[in-house]
Amino acid sequence: MTTCDDSIYIKRTLAGDTAAFSVLVERYQSLVYSMVVRMVRHRQDAEDIAQDVFVKAFSSLGSFRGESRFSTWLCRIAYTSSVSYTRRQRPDRAGIEIEHELDTRPDEADENGQREDRLQQLQQSLNKLSSEDAVLISLYYQHDKSVDEIAPITGLSASNVKVRLHRIRKKLHEEIKLE
């Protein structure tokens, strides 16, 4: 999955081949959904927002200048859509549900279950993070985005992303130590 591949499908879509856009949707739907669900913390709303992200991307595809990867541009749309949603959302609805994406199968070599306990502690600590912090961690560790790729998605500077990731890791480490 390369930027070159994406540009081919983007050009075909802009030329009127709307089916070419479905390849991009298929390629990035899990990235967009996992990012959105980390922000809004409600599966049904995340599905609606993720679908809306692709509708927005399709309708504004002509404005994609190719200065960044298509995935970065798409994640930026997902991020701003999620932030808008959480700002409009009622406080009693926030934090009802979150997608659990960590592998919680015990390591066969670990017979006393310590790995499973640590993963459970980590997941509980991740659930306590703000939606913005959870997205930063998710993009960096689960989706292998670099700091330079995360910066335009979130609207933060690269140095600010580095600082926030450091603080989040420190917070998670302290949280897990206490439990």
Side-chain angles (χ1 to χ4, degrees):
M1 167 169 42
T2 65
T3 305
C4 183
D5 290 342
D6 289 347
S7 65
I8 291 169
Y9 292 109
I10 291 167
K11 287 176 186 173
R12 286 179 49 193
T13 302
L14 291 172
D17 181 7
T18 55
F21 192 73
S22 66
V23 173
L24 296 170
V25 171
E26 207 171 294
R27 184 174 286 174
Y28 295 112
Q29 65 187 357
S30 65
L31 170 65
V32 169
Y33 175 76
S34 65
M35 185 177 164
V36 171
V37 80
R38 287 259 180 226
M39 295 276 300
V40 302
R41 300 180 184 218
H42 187 264
R43 287 186 187 131
Q44 185 62 43
D45 292 339
E47 289 172 8
D48 294 342
I49 293 167
Q51 183 175 0
D52 189 45
V53 165
F54 285 106
V55 169
K56 287 177 184 177
F58 180 80
S59 64
S60 59
L61 192 59
S63 68
F64 175 65
R65 296 185 302 255
E67 295 171 355
S68 64
R69 291 181 177 177
F70 176 74
S71 62
T72 302
W73 181 75
L74 189 62
C75 284
R76 179 67 182 162
I77 295 171
Y79 183 82
T80 56
S81 296
S82 299
V83 168
S84 295
Y85 170 83
T86 56
R87 287 183 181 156
R88 290 189 315 264
Q89 190 58 352
R90 297 186 328 252
D92 62 320
R93 182 80 181 270
I96 291 176
E97 192 175 339
I98 189 163
E99 183 74 19
H100 295 283
E101 295 182 12
L102 280 178
D103 180 11
T104 56
R105 290 173 298 191
D107 189 358
E108 293 175 5
D110 186 7
E111 295 174 355
N112 57 9
Q114 288 179 345
R115 181 176 184 272
E116 187 174 305
D117 291 343
R118 299 289 284 174
L119 285 172
Q120 187 175 11
Q121 286 176 333
L122 178 60
Q123 186 60 53
Q124 289 171 351
S125 297
L126 287 170
N127 289 342
K128 293 177 185 177
L129 293 176
S130 70
S131 56
E132 290 85 7
D133 287 351
V135 166
L136 286 174
I137 290 292
S138 176
L139 287 172
Y140 190 77
Y141 287 103
Q142 293 177 313
H143 299 291
D144 297 321
K145 296 288 185 186
S146 69
V147 169
D148 291 332
E149 290 173 312
I150 295 172
I153 291 169
T154 59
L156 301 170
S157 68
S159 60
N160 198 339
V161 170
K162 287 179 189 177
V163 168
R164 294 217 16 215
L165 283 170
H166 174 74
R167 288 179 181 163
I168 297 165
R169 284 190 295 264
K170 186 176 177 182
K171 183 190 303 184
L172 288 171
H173 181 51
E174 290 172 4
E175 180 83 26
I176 290 171
K177 267 181 29 179
L178 294 174
E179 292 180 0

